[in-house]
Amino acid sequence: MRVKQLSTELPTDKELSYAVVLEPGDEVVESLTAWADDKGIRAARLTGIGGFRQVVLGFFDPETKELHKIPVNRQTQVLALVGDFAMAEDGRRPQLHAHVVVGLPDGEARGGHLLAGEVWPTLEVIVTQSPRYLRRRHDPRTGLALIDLDART
């Protein structure tokens, strides 16, 4: 993974942006989360394009409150990747929550939560760090860890 800071160091109330380019074979969720943790990123938004050799998508079923895995075991193009980092409920490290739409060779598209993906040949991600961080909390109504706007930073 290669990273370049796009904005200059600004006062703490400003945003910093980074270009993060993942290499062939990188595991996207693991790589991005480890980088954000190492960089001290506690809140950010991200977008990206590129490709996966294989990817695992997820679909949340509100009835069962389970995330169903959708493996796509073939080369795909990342048509859209959007998401955010917020602090995990335990407050120990940032948690990536991203959705992705991938294109298949016949033009068909599949999408869902990004659970895992092997980058091929590249994944270009723009990460914009927020000056204040967010925290996720378990929501008993949905069964999900959602951003809690009332949480103290």
Side-chain angles (χ1 to χ4, degrees), residues 57-70 97 99 111-113 115 139 141-146:
L57 308 173
F59 180 81
F60 181 74
D61 183 337
E63 295 295 320
T64 64
K65 293 189 169 90
E66 293 180 9
L67 199 60
H68 298 284
K69 291 182 179 179
I70 306 164
H97 179 207
H99 291 194
H113 290 274
L115 301 180
D139 176 45
R141 186 174 56 87
T142 63
L144 296 169
L146 304 176

Side-chain angles (χ1 to χ4, degrees), residues 25-47:
D26 285 349
E27 199 296 310
V28 61
V29 175
E30 184 178 289
S31 296
L32 286 173
T33 302
W35 171 78
D37 189 35
D38 184 59
K39 196 73 178 157
I41 292 176
R42 301 173 67 79
R45 62 188 178 277
L46 58 92
T47 60

